[in-house]
Amino acid sequence: MTMQAHSLLDWSPEAAVFDCDGTLMDTERHWQDARNRAFAAFGLTPPRGFAERAKGVHYTDCGRLMAEETHKPELAEELGSALLEHFLALVADDPTTMPGAVELVRLLSGRLPLAVASNCPLEVVTGCLGRAGLLQHFDHIVVPSGMPPDAVGGCPGAAGSQVVRPKPWPDVYATAARLCGVRPERAFAVEDSLTGVESARRAGLRVVGVGARPTGEDAGAADLWVTTLRAPELLAWVRARVLKGTQAPGGD
């Protein structure tokens, strides 16, 4: 365990902000299928390694990346639209949570302000979380938008009048922390992509990375890497530093 991990595990947060795709919901495979279908629809072959480069990237930026890497820049907007259309159809048929996501969210619910910061469209995030029975646990949903997101399902995700740019810009995480009523350095983010980790770090949050620990210089991008949200070290930290001394509404 690194000194960075020790620092996080000795610290008590005041809010938690979760990514959605690949962190709470098992939708990354849907994005991959949707990218492949969009490429195929235009007779294009996915470049080698494209899935990793596209992970966590906003769908409009992904459309541009798809167009650039296949040398069809004129198709950027159409590829982005096709990508979103295919993804929406896939996720509607199969909304599945990531291992440990439901348990961790329920464990934190009522103990800390909770928010979601996602690059997905608002209707995708709220639809997925609603079908998974998780939406009611979150105080705020923040997504990229040139206009303030509407209140949906009891989650007022109101970002005021500011423009919220997609990850890796820090906007979604900075806005989520502000809506939770805490300074960014008093909140932690939970992320599965390096794009999302960069966004949260730029906003000033500490970060728990979920999935295989990266190699090389990316290994230190998050304060702690865990393989799943069921990781014993993560749950031990939550119980020792978050649940201790707090009480859920109506709890004993």
Side-chain angles (χ1 to χ4, degrees), residues 3-159:
M3 289 296 291
Q4 195 173 20
H6 275 300
S7 176
L8 176 75
L9 298 177
D10 291 338
W11 168 74
S12 298
E14 296 175 4
V17 186
F18 288 81
D19 170 55
C20 187
D21 275 358
T23 301
L24 292 174
M25 302 299 302
D26 186 11
T27 49
E28 190 56 42
R29 59 199 170 89
H30 295 323
W31 280 117
Q32 175 61 15
D33 288 345
R35 287 189 290 266
N36 288 338
R37 292 184 184 192
F39 276 128
F42 288 87
L44 303 173
T45 301
R48 184 183 298 273
F50 186 82
E52 189 60 33
R53 292 190 294 279
K55 189 175 182 179
V57 176
H58 189 262
Y59 75 91
T60 56
D61 293 329
C62 188
R64 283 193 290 271
L65 189 62
M66 294 167 74
E68 289 168 5
E69 293 202 13
T70 54
H71 310 292
K72 298 287 185 180
E74 70 278 7
L75 294 179
E77 186 173 344
E78 292 176 84
L79 281 166
S81 297
L83 171 60
L84 179 59
E85 181 180 349
H86 287 301
F87 174 77
L88 290 174
L90 289 164
V91 78
D93 290 338
D94 184 23
T96 306
T97 56
M98 294 296 290
V102 172
E103 296 88 343
L104 181 59
V105 169
R106 288 177 177 171
L107 196 60
L108 293 170
S109 183
R111 311 278 186 166
L112 291 179
L114 299 183
V116 170
S118 175
N119 263 356
C120 275
L122 185 62
E123 64 272 19
V124 174
V125 178
T126 56
C128 287
L129 295 179
R131 287 191 290 274
L134 292 177
L135 185 61
Q136 71 271 21
H137 295 290
F138 291 98
D139 303 290
H140 306 285
I141 307 291
V142 182
V143 300
S145 177
M147 299 177 65
D150 297 327
V152 176
C155 296

Side-chain angles (χ1 to χ4, degrees), residues 225-252:
W225 289 98
V226 294
T227 53
T228 75
L229 296 180
R230 291 176 178 154
E233 61 268 40
L234 175 62
L235 295 178
W237 170 62
V238 167
R239 292 189 176 101
R241 292 290 176 172
V242 179
L243 304 189
K244 186 177 180 180
T246 67
Q247 181 171 304
D252 295 326

